Amino acid sequence: MGAPYDIKFRFNPSSSKSKKVLGPLEGDIMEVVWSQGSSTVGAVHKALREKKAIAYTTVMTTMSRLAKKHLLNQDTSTSSYVYTPTLDRTDFERYVVMGIIEGLFDDFGDDVVDYFGECIKRRGEGVRDRLEKSLS
């Protein structure tokens, strides 16, 4: 794919936004970290507890896993690890879209082109104009 990242994800088309490629808790954690810019386990735990009961250790384990997946950078130079997103939300979404489309083209090339054409037709002239502009 050529991107300088090695982020691991799976695609679940029935979920929404970041949760299409992350588990529900991973998506919730990433949303908190993206909104804060950088964060600690304690700050993320506090933000998540405003919406649901969750154990501190669950948040800690999940954030460590997100770091192993290269979605979070983990600064261990202080007693409370500081986590920052590897990519901002926009770049993450772009990376995911590129990965999904590349994978679909690799496995289903002609079908992807045919269905993509059908989708563009259904969505109207504005989308078709954007596609033509991106191709030129």
Side-chain angles (χ1 to χ4, degrees), residues 1-5 95 98 102:
M1 187 160 57
Y5 314 105
Y95 180 85
M98 287 176 12
E102 289 283 341

Side-chain angles (χ1 to χ4, degrees), residues 60-123:
M60 180 176 61
T61 301
T62 304
M63 290 179 75
S64 289
R65 287 185 183 148
L66 288 166
K68 287 178 184 169
K69 290 180 179 183
H70 306 288
L71 285 160
L72 292 175
N73 292 314
Q74 184 183 52
D75 179 358
T76 60
S77 65
T78 62
S79 60
S80 292
Y81 294 178
V82 176
Y83 292 85
T84 56
T86 304
L87 300 169
D88 65 27
R89 186 188 331 254
T90 301
D91 288 340
F92 172 75
E93 290 171 357
R94 184 172 288 124
Y95 180 85
V96 167
V97 169
M98 287 176 12
I100 291 167
I101 290 174
E102 289 283 341
L104 289 171
F105 267 108
D106 289 347
D107 293 342
F108 309 104
D110 290 341
D111 291 331
V112 172
V113 172
D114 293 343
Y115 185 71
F116 191 71
E118 291 175 28
C119 286
I120 296 296
K121 287 177 189 174
R122 280 198 311 268
R123 294 186 185 261

